[in-house]
Amino acid sequence: QVQLVESGGGVVQPGGSLRLSCAASGFTFSSYGVHWVRQAPGKGLEWVAFIRFDGTYKNYADSVKGRFTISRDNSKNTLYLQMNSLRAEDTSLYYCAKDRVAVAGALYQFDFWGQVSLVTVSS
Amino acid sequence: DIQMTQSPSSLSASVGDRVTITCRASQSISSYLNWYQQKPGTAPKLLIYAASSLQSGVPSRFSGSGSGTDFTLTINNLQPEDFATYYCQQSYSAPPTFGGGTKVEIK
């Protein structure tokens, strides 16, 4: 069965950095585009970033562009989100999610989600 | 960015009711509309993709319709496990954007 297991969340001071990981299993990770989506406590969902199946294309929400970097290691079946220059407004639950179908671009249909990582930015 | 507006933001219903949630896009998105269900403390679950296609494993009491700018999620014969928050999301263009959510509560 498909599993996405996240790690790396925690508490960090404003301006600090954190790296989230998402270990995938149960599907051919190297064939699928994957995303990060976040949700501020008690709020709605916000897409954060996408990376193509082979890592050659990435795109980001304007709110994180230039501060966050999405990457993947297909040999380890793992997705990453490097978060730098963190702000209080980045405090959220962060989910990794896979595209529903293995396509060359981004489908933006999230059929499986990780179990979430909580990132708290506070002094 | 395409804005997604859901209504109502919350509703109360009873087991066995038929529930309808609407979602409006700020511009035409053809049929690039997806619906998710989220229960407290859990990740969202994909229910409907491409406006009307039922995701594998989702009960047939869930259905979606619409195209262009106006979409509907219908839940027939509401079950206890359906009390949750529902989100629409457009996959027409980047960045993908979500509606604000509709919380379905027990009457």
Side-chain angles (χ1 to χ4, degrees):
Chain A
Q1 70 283 19
V2 173
Q3 281 197 311
L4 297 168
V5 179
E6 301 184 34
S7 59
V11 180
V12 61
Q13 292 188 339
S17 298
L18 210 56
R19 188 177 84 156
L20 302 181
S21 300
C22 173
S25 61
F27 66 104
T28 306
F29 179 73
S30 59
S31 296
Y32 286 81
V34 280
H35 306 258
W36 289 98
V37 179
R38 68 185 181 182
Q39 186 171 34
K43 302 297 185 182
L45 298 161
E46 178 188 18
W47 171 82
V48 173
F50 163 78
I51 186 167
R52 205 174 105 122
F53 69 96
D54 57 2
T56 60
Y57 175 75
K58 307 171 186 180
N59 65 338
Y60 300 90
D62 285 346
S63 58
V64 307
K65 200 172 294 182
R67 301 187 299 122
F68 289 13
T69 301
I70 190 172
S71 63
R72 65 191 297 162
D73 185 338
N74 285 344
S75 68
K76 296 181 179 179
N77 289 344
T78 302
L79 172 70
Y80 302 100
L81 185 68
Q82 178 66 43
M83 302 182 291
N84 297 332
S85 303
L86 282 161
R87 305 166 180 168
E89 55 264 36
D90 296 317
T91 294
S92 280
L93 303 169
Y94 283 77
Y95 296 95
C96 56
K98 64 174 282 292
D99 261 338
R100 187 180 62 83
V101 177
V103 295
L107 195 60
Y108 300 120
Q109 294 173 350
F110 315 119
D111 67 339
F112 283 95
W113 299 60
Q115 91 285 6
V116 86
S117 281
L118 175 60
V119 173
T120 303
V121 184
S122 174
S123 54
Chain B
D1 297 0
I2 298 174
Q3 292 189 357
M4 307 301 295
T5 304
Q6 283 182 239
S7 61
S9 57
S10 65
L11 63 89
S12 295
S14 300
V15 172
D17 283 354
R18 180 183 185 183
V19 167
T20 299
I21 299 169
T22 63
C23 179
R24 176 165 288 177
S26 60
Q27 67 182 71
S28 177
I29 57 171
S30 185
S31 295
Y32 291 89
L33 191 283
N34 312 302
W35 290 98
Y36 299 85
Q37 175 195 66
Q38 187 177 33
K39 298 179 181 180
T42 70
K45 173 186 175 182
L46 178 64
L47 299 176
I48 302 284
Y49 63 91
S52 60
S53 295
L54 196 66
Q55 171 68 354
S56 175
V58 174
S60 59
R61 62 180 180 272
F62 291 92
S63 64
S65 65
S67 67
T69 60
D70 294 315
F71 301 86
T72 300
L73 173 70
T74 300
I75 312 171
N76 287 304
N77 187 23
L78 194 70
Q79 295 298 296
E81 60 268 29
D82 300 336
F83 293 95
T85 299
Y86 294 84
Y87 294 93
C88 63
Q89 174 244 329
Q90 65 84 13
S91 50
Y92 179 79
S93 67
T97 45
F98 293 85
T102 296
K103 187 174 184 179
V104 176
E105 299 175 300
I106 302 173
K107 182 182 287 184

PDB file of all heavy atoms in Angstrom, chain A residues 9-10 12 22 32 37 39 41 50 53 57 60 62-63 66 70 76 81 87 109-110 112 123:
ATOM      1  N   GLY A   9       9.918  17.876  11.162  1.00  0.00           N
ATOM      2  CA  GLY A   9       9.237  19.050  11.698  1.00  0.00           C
ATOM      3  C   GLY A   9       9.766  19.430  13.075  1.00  0.00           C
ATOM      4  O   GLY A   9      10.513  18.682  13.702  1.00  0.00           O
ATOM      5  N   GLY A  10       9.380  20.610  13.537  1.00  0.00           N
ATOM      6  CA  GLY A  10       9.810  21.052  14.853  1.00  0.00           C
ATOM      7  C   GLY A  10       9.603  22.526  15.047  1.00  0.00           C
ATOM      8  O   GLY A  10       8.912  23.181  14.268  1.00  0.00           O
ATOM      9  N   VAL A  12      11.311  26.276  15.357  1.00  0.00           N
ATOM     10  CA  VAL A  12      12.482  27.018  14.889  1.00  0.00           C
ATOM     11  C   VAL A  12      12.217  28.507  15.070  1.00  0.00           C
ATOM     12  O   VAL A  12      11.067  28.963  15.003  1.00  0.00           O
ATOM     13  CB  VAL A  12      12.783  26.667  13.416  1.00  0.00           C
ATOM     14  CG1 VAL A  12      11.609  27.038  12.521  1.00  0.00           C
ATOM     15  CG2 VAL A  12      14.072  27.284  12.939  1.00  0.00           C
ATOM     16  N   CYS A  22      10.213  13.183   3.341  1.00  0.00           N
ATOM     17  CA  CYS A  22       9.013  12.377   3.100  1.00  0.00           C
ATOM     18  C   CYS A  22       9.459  11.089   2.422  1.00  0.00           C
ATOM     19  O   CYS A  22       9.873  11.109   1.259  1.00  0.00           O
ATOM     20  CB  CYS A  22       8.044  13.157   2.230  1.00  0.00           C
ATOM     21  SG  CYS A  22       6.597  12.209   1.671  1.00  0.00           S
ATOM     22  N   TYR A  32       6.536   9.422 -10.358  1.00  0.00           N
ATOM     23  CA  TYR A  32       5.472  10.348  -9.996  1.00  0.00           C
ATOM     24  C   TYR A  32       5.987  11.723  -9.588  1.00  0.00           C
ATOM     25  O   TYR A  32       6.993  11.833  -8.877  1.00  0.00           O
ATOM     26  CB  TYR A  32       4.659   9.789  -8.835  1.00  0.00           C
ATOM     27  CG  TYR A  32       3.744   8.663  -9.230  1.00  0.00           C
ATOM     28  CD1 TYR A  32       4.237   7.362  -9.361  1.00  0.00           C
ATOM     29  CD2 TYR A  32       2.395   8.882  -9.497  1.00  0.00           C
ATOM     30  CE1 TYR A  32       3.409   6.328  -9.741  1.00  0.00           C
ATOM     31  CE2 TYR A  32       1.559   7.849  -9.869  1.00  0.00           C
ATOM     32  CZ  TYR A  32       2.078   6.580  -9.997  1.00  0.00           C
ATOM     33  OH  TYR A  32       1.248   5.551 -10.369  1.00  0.00           O
ATOM     34  N   VAL A  37       2.163  20.461   0.495  1.00  0.00           N
ATOM     35  CA  VAL A  37       0.966  21.259   0.749  1.00  0.00           C
ATOM     36  C   VAL A  37       0.954  21.555   2.231  1.00  0.00           C
ATOM     37  O   VAL A  37       1.298  20.693   3.045  1.00  0.00           O
ATOM     38  CB  VAL A  37      -0.319  20.492   0.343  1.00  0.00           C
ATOM     39  CG1 VAL A  37      -1.570  21.324   0.641  1.00  0.00           C
ATOM     40  CG2 VAL A  37      -0.273  20.101  -1.131  1.00  0.00           C
ATOM     41  N   GLN A  39      -0.969  23.588   5.791  1.00  0.00           N
ATOM     42  CA  GLN A  39      -2.237  24.000   6.393  1.00  0.00           C
ATOM     43  C   GLN A  39      -1.943  24.653   7.731  1.00  0.00           C
ATOM     44  O   GLN A  39      -1.504  23.974   8.672  1.00  0.00           O
ATOM     45  CB  GLN A  39      -3.149  22.780   6.575  1.00  0.00           C
ATOM     46  CG  GLN A  39      -4.535  23.086   7.057  1.00  0.00           C
ATOM     47  CD  GLN A  39      -5.450  21.864   7.007  1.00  0.00           C
ATOM     48  OE1 GLN A  39      -5.025  20.732   7.221  1.00  0.00           O
ATOM     49  NE2 GLN A  39      -6.727  22.085   6.714  1.00  0.00           N
ATOM     50  N   PRO A  41      -2.684  26.049  11.337  1.00  0.00           N
ATOM     51  CA  PRO A  41      -3.597  25.463  12.325  1.00  0.00           C
ATOM     52  C   PRO A  41      -4.992  26.057  12.241  1.00  0.00           C
ATOM     53  O   PRO A  41      -5.172  27.277  12.307  1.00  0.00           O
ATOM     54  CB  PRO A  41      -2.912  25.806  13.653  1.00  0.00           C
ATOM     55  CG  PRO A  41      -1.460  25.887  13.316  1.00  0.00           C
ATOM     56  CD  PRO A  41      -1.413  26.490  11.936  1.00  0.00           C
ATOM     57  N   PHE A  50       6.094  21.832  -6.044  1.00  0.00           N
ATOM     58  CA  PHE A  50       6.004  20.606  -6.865  1.00  0.00           C
ATOM     59  C   PHE A  50       7.371  20.282  -7.435  1.00  0.00           C
ATOM     60  O   PHE A  50       8.145  21.183  -7.781  1.00  0.00           O
ATOM     61  CB  PHE A  50       5.022  20.819  -8.009  1.00  0.00           C
ATOM     62  CG  PHE A  50       5.146  19.801  -9.118  1.00  0.00           C
ATOM     63  CD1 PHE A  50       4.619  18.534  -8.987  1.00  0.00           C
ATOM     64  CD2 PHE A  50       5.814  20.128 -10.314  1.00  0.00           C
ATOM     65  CE1 PHE A  50       4.742  17.599 -10.015  1.00  0.00           C
ATOM     66  CE2 PHE A  50       5.931  19.195 -11.342  1.00  0.00           C
ATOM     67  CZ  PHE A  50       5.399  17.938 -11.187  1.00  0.00           C
ATOM     68  N   PHE A  53       8.826  14.115 -11.737  1.00  0.00           N
ATOM     69  CA  PHE A  53       9.251  12.765 -11.375  1.00  0.00           C
ATOM     70  C   PHE A  53      10.766  12.594 -11.416  1.00  0.00           C
ATOM     71  O   PHE A  53      11.335  11.869 -10.595  1.00  0.00           O
ATOM     72  CB  PHE A  53       8.582  11.733 -12.302  1.00  0.00           C
ATOM     73  CG  PHE A  53       9.062  11.776 -13.725  1.00  0.00           C
ATOM     74  CD1 PHE A  53      10.063  10.910 -14.161  1.00  0.00           C
ATOM     75  CD2 PHE A  53       8.525  12.669 -14.643  1.00  0.00           C
ATOM     76  CE1 PHE A  53      10.511  10.933 -15.470  1.00  0.00           C
ATOM     77  CE2 PHE A  53       8.968  12.708 -15.960  1.00  0.00           C
ATOM     78  CZ  PHE A  53       9.968  11.837 -16.373  1.00  0.00           C
ATOM     79  N   TYR A  57      12.132  19.611 -13.104  1.00  0.00           N
ATOM     80  CA  TYR A  57      11.254  20.783 -13.086  1.00  0.00           C
ATOM     81  C   TYR A  57      10.674  20.939 -11.681  1.00  0.00           C
ATOM     82  O   TYR A  57      10.253  19.971 -11.058  1.00  0.00           O
ATOM     83  CB  TYR A  57      10.124  20.635 -14.099  1.00  0.00           C
ATOM     84  CG  TYR A  57       9.120  21.774 -14.033  1.00  0.00           C
ATOM     85  CD1 TYR A  57       9.425  23.031 -14.547  1.00  0.00           C
ATOM     86  CD2 TYR A  57       7.878  21.589 -13.421  1.00  0.00           C
ATOM     87  CE1 TYR A  57       8.517  24.076 -14.464  1.00  0.00           C
ATOM     88  CE2 TYR A  57       6.965  22.630 -13.332  1.00  0.00           C
ATOM     89  CZ  TYR A  57       7.294  23.862 -13.857  1.00  0.00           C
ATOM     90  OH  TYR A  57       6.393  24.899 -13.767  1.00  0.00           O
ATOM     91  N   TYR A  60       6.950  26.671  -7.365  1.00  0.00           N
ATOM     92  CA  TYR A  60       6.706  27.079  -5.990  1.00  0.00           C
ATOM     93  C   TYR A  60       5.575  28.092  -5.896  1.00  0.00           C
ATOM     94  O   TYR A  60       5.330  28.873  -6.825  1.00  0.00           O
ATOM     95  CB  TYR A  60       7.967  27.737  -5.401  1.00  0.00           C
ATOM     96  CG  TYR A  60       9.189  26.860  -5.364  1.00  0.00           C
ATOM     97  CD1 TYR A  60      10.077  26.833  -6.437  1.00  0.00           C
ATOM     98  CD2 TYR A  60       9.461  26.053  -4.265  1.00  0.00           C
ATOM     99  CE1 TYR A  60      11.199  26.020  -6.419  1.00  0.00           C
ATOM    100  CE2 TYR A  60      10.590  25.237  -4.231  1.00  0.00           C
ATOM    101  CZ  TYR A  60      11.448  25.230  -5.316  1.00  0.00           C
ATOM    102  OH  TYR A  60      12.564  24.422  -5.287  1.00  0.00           O
ATOM    103  N   ASP A  62       4.238  31.592  -4.631  1.00  0.00           N
ATOM    104  CA  ASP A  62       4.934  32.873  -4.489  1.00  0.00           C
ATOM    105  C   ASP A  62       5.341  33.127  -3.042  1.00  0.00           C
ATOM    106  O   ASP A  62       6.367  33.763  -2.782  1.00  0.00           O
ATOM    107  CB  ASP A  62       4.040  34.014  -4.980  1.00  0.00           C
ATOM    108  CG  ASP A  62       3.942  34.073  -6.493  1.00  0.00           C
ATOM    109  OD1 ASP A  62       4.750  33.411  -7.176  1.00  0.00           O
ATOM    110  OD2 ASP A  62       3.046  34.768  -7.001  1.00  0.00           O
ATOM    111  N   SER A  63       4.533  32.626  -2.105  1.00  0.00           N
ATOM    112  CA  SER A  63       4.774  32.899  -0.683  1.00  0.00           C
ATOM    113  C   SER A  63       6.060  32.256  -0.168  1.00  0.00           C
ATOM    114  O   SER A  63       6.561  32.643   0.894  1.00  0.00           O
ATOM    115  CB  SER A  63       3.580  32.407   0.142  1.00  0.00           C
ATOM    116  OG  SER A  63       3.362  31.029  -0.071  1.00  0.00           O
ATOM    117  N   GLY A  66      12.103  31.429  -3.419  1.00  0.00           N
ATOM    118  CA  GLY A  66      13.355  32.044  -2.999  1.00  0.00           C
ATOM    119  C   GLY A  66      13.770  31.676  -1.592  1.00  0.00           C
ATOM    120  O   GLY A  66      14.908  31.934  -1.187  1.00  0.00           O
ATOM    121  N   ILE A  70      12.516  22.522  -2.991  1.00  0.00           N
ATOM    122  CA  ILE A  70      12.037  21.146  -3.052  1.00  0.00           C
ATOM    123  C   ILE A  70      13.070  20.314  -3.804  1.00  0.00           C
ATOM    124  O   ILE A  70      13.680  20.785  -4.768  1.00  0.00           O
ATOM    125  CB  ILE A  70      10.644  21.064  -3.722  1.00  0.00           C
ATOM    126  CG1 ILE A  70      10.044  19.666  -3.572  1.00  0.00           C
ATOM    127  CG2 ILE A  70      10.696  21.522  -5.170  1.00  0.00           C
ATOM    128  CD1 ILE A  70       8.575  19.577  -4.041  1.00  0.00           C
ATOM    129  N   LYS A  76      16.626   6.868  -2.989  1.00  0.00           N
ATOM    130  CA  LYS A  76      16.192   6.664  -1.601  1.00  0.00           C
ATOM    131  C   LYS A  76      14.678   6.770  -1.443  1.00  0.00           C
ATOM    132  O   LYS A  76      14.169   6.711  -0.328  1.00  0.00           O
ATOM    133  CB  LYS A  76      16.866   7.688  -0.674  1.00  0.00           C
ATOM    134  CG  LYS A  76      18.377   7.541  -0.602  1.00  0.00           C
ATOM    135  CD  LYS A  76      18.980   8.565   0.356  1.00  0.00           C
ATOM    136  CE  LYS A  76      20.491   8.394   0.453  1.00  0.00           C
ATOM    137  NZ  LYS A  76      21.101   9.401   1.359  1.00  0.00           N
ATOM    138  N   LEU A  81      12.000  19.036   1.601  1.00  0.00           N
ATOM    139  CA  LEU A  81      11.678  20.458   1.517  1.00  0.00           C
ATOM    140  C   LEU A  81      12.635  21.188   2.452  1.00  0.00           C
ATOM    141  O   LEU A  81      12.538  21.053   3.676  1.00  0.00           O
ATOM    142  CB  LEU A  81      10.225  20.740   1.913  1.00  0.00           C
ATOM    143  CG  LEU A  81       9.798  22.199   1.737  1.00  0.00           C
ATOM    144  CD1 LEU A  81       9.752  22.553   0.240  1.00  0.00           C
ATOM    145  CD2 LEU A  81       8.437  22.457   2.380  1.00  0.00           C
ATOM    146  N   ARG A  87       9.497  32.302   8.576  1.00  0.00           N
ATOM    147  CA  ARG A  87       8.713  33.396   9.148  1.00  0.00           C
ATOM    148  C   ARG A  87       7.593  32.810   9.992  1.00  0.00           C
ATOM    149  O   ARG A  87       7.203  31.651   9.823  1.00  0.00           O
ATOM    150  CB  ARG A  87       8.101  34.230   8.017  1.00  0.00           C
ATOM    151  CG  ARG A  87       9.097  34.759   7.007  1.00  0.00           C
ATOM    152  CD  ARG A  87       8.378  35.272   5.773  1.00  0.00           C
ATOM    153  NE  ARG A  87       9.299  35.802   4.768  1.00  0.00           N
ATOM    154  CZ  ARG A  87       8.967  36.096   3.517  1.00  0.00           C
ATOM    155  NH1 ARG A  87       7.701  35.907   3.114  1.00  0.00           N
ATOM    156  NH2 ARG A  87       9.870  36.573   2.683  1.00  0.00           N
ATOM    157  N   GLN A 109      -3.419  16.674  -8.846  1.00  0.00           N
ATOM    158  CA  GLN A 109      -4.479  15.862  -8.235  1.00  0.00           C
ATOM    159  C   GLN A 109      -3.784  15.012  -7.179  1.00  0.00           C
ATOM    160  O   GLN A 109      -3.037  14.107  -7.497  1.00  0.00           O
ATOM    161  CB  GLN A 109      -5.170  14.973  -9.264  1.00  0.00           C
ATOM    162  CG  GLN A 109      -5.939  15.733 -10.319  1.00  0.00           C
ATOM    163  CD  GLN A 109      -6.467  14.843 -11.421  1.00  0.00           C
ATOM    164  OE1 GLN A 109      -6.116  13.671 -11.520  1.00  0.00           O
ATOM    165  NE2 GLN A 109      -7.325  15.381 -12.274  1.00  0.00           N
ATOM    166  N   PHE A 110      -4.060  15.300  -5.920  1.00  0.00           N
ATOM    167  CA  PHE A 110      -3.284  14.720  -4.818  1.00  0.00           C
ATOM    168  C   PHE A 110      -4.013  13.510  -4.254  1.00  0.00           C
ATOM    169  O   PHE A 110      -4.968  13.658  -3.485  1.00  0.00           O
ATOM    170  CB  PHE A 110      -3.072  15.774  -3.733  1.00  0.00           C
ATOM    171  CG  PHE A 110      -2.652  17.122  -4.268  1.00  0.00           C
ATOM    172  CD1 PHE A 110      -3.432  18.241  -4.057  1.00  0.00           C
ATOM    173  CD2 PHE A 110      -1.480  17.260  -4.993  1.00  0.00           C
ATOM    174  CE1 PHE A 110      -3.058  19.483  -4.548  1.00  0.00           C
ATOM    175  CE2 PHE A 110      -1.096  18.503  -5.490  1.00  0.00           C
ATOM    176  CZ  PHE A 110      -1.883  19.621  -5.267  1.00  0.00           C
ATOM    177  N   PHE A 112      -2.615  10.639  -2.593  1.00  0.00           N
ATOM    178  CA  PHE A 112      -2.135  10.122  -1.321  1.00  0.00           C
ATOM    179  C   PHE A 112      -1.338  11.206  -0.629  1.00  0.00           C
ATOM    180  O   PHE A 112      -0.557  11.919  -1.271  1.00  0.00           O
ATOM    181  CB  PHE A 112      -1.278   8.853  -1.495  1.00  0.00           C
ATOM    182  CG  PHE A 112      -2.089   7.624  -1.772  1.00  0.00           C
ATOM    183  CD1 PHE A 112      -2.305   7.209  -3.078  1.00  0.00           C
ATOM    184  CD2 PHE A 112      -2.642   6.883  -0.740  1.00  0.00           C
ATOM    185  CE1 PHE A 112      -3.064   6.088  -3.353  1.00  0.00           C
ATOM    186  CE2 PHE A 112      -3.395   5.752  -1.006  1.00  0.00           C
ATOM    187  CZ  PHE A 112      -3.617   5.363  -2.310  1.00  0.00           C
ATOM    188  N   SER A 123       9.737  32.688  18.321  1.00  0.00           N
ATOM    189  CA  SER A 123      10.888  33.057  19.143  1.00  0.00           C
ATOM    190  C   SER A 123      10.631  32.714  20.603  1.00  0.00           C
ATOM    191  O   SER A 123      11.498  32.909  21.450  1.00  0.00           O
ATOM    192  CB  SER A 123      11.192  34.545  19.000  1.00  0.00           C
ATOM    193  OG  SER A 123      10.044  35.304  19.290  1.00  0.00           O
TER     194      SER A 123
END
